[in-house]
């Protein structure tokens, strides 16, 4: 599972809409739509916001660990 897959899995797991997720982390719904369609990826400033929101590590989002709570 890549970064985008993990983000959308977390959104689904938390029973959220893409719109509510976007509002929660301070990005546009267009950004989230672009991620979903793989036209772009979250930038370096956005990844920590996503990790903090879902209480997982950035390393987990990047695929550096399979444990959501562990930083490498």
């Amino acid at each position: 599972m890549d970064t985008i897959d993990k983000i959308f899995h977390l959104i689904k797991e938390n029973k959220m809409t893409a719109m509510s997720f976007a509002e929660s982390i301070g990005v546009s719904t267009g950004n989230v739509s672009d991620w979903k369609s793989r036209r772009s990826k979250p930038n370096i400033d956005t990844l920590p916001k996503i990790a903090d929101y879902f209480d997982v590590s950035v390393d987990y989002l990047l695929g550096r660990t399979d444990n959501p709570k562990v930083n490498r």
Side-chain angles (χ1 to χ4, degrees), residues 6-68:
K6 286 182 181 177
I7 291 168
F8 284 95
H9 174 77
L10 289 165
I11 291 169
K12 184 177 179 180
E13 188 176 80
N14 285 277
K15 298 179 172 89
M16 302 181 74
T17 65
M19 180 184 278
S20 65
F21 168 68
E23 289 173 4
S24 296
I25 64 163
V27 299
S28 73
T29 55
N31 283 129
V32 176
S33 177
D34 285 348
W35 302 342
K36 189 167 191 167
S37 65
R38 298 181 183 270
R39 285 188 293 265
S40 68
K41 295 180 181 181
N43 66 35
I44 192 82
D45 296 322
T46 305
L47 282 173
K49 292 177 186 178
I50 296 168
D52 289 347
Y53 183 79
F54 288 119
D55 194 27
V56 298
S57 70
V58 171
D59 283 339
Y60 171 75
L61 292 176
L62 293 175
R64 294 174 48 125
T65 180
D66 291 331
N67 185 333

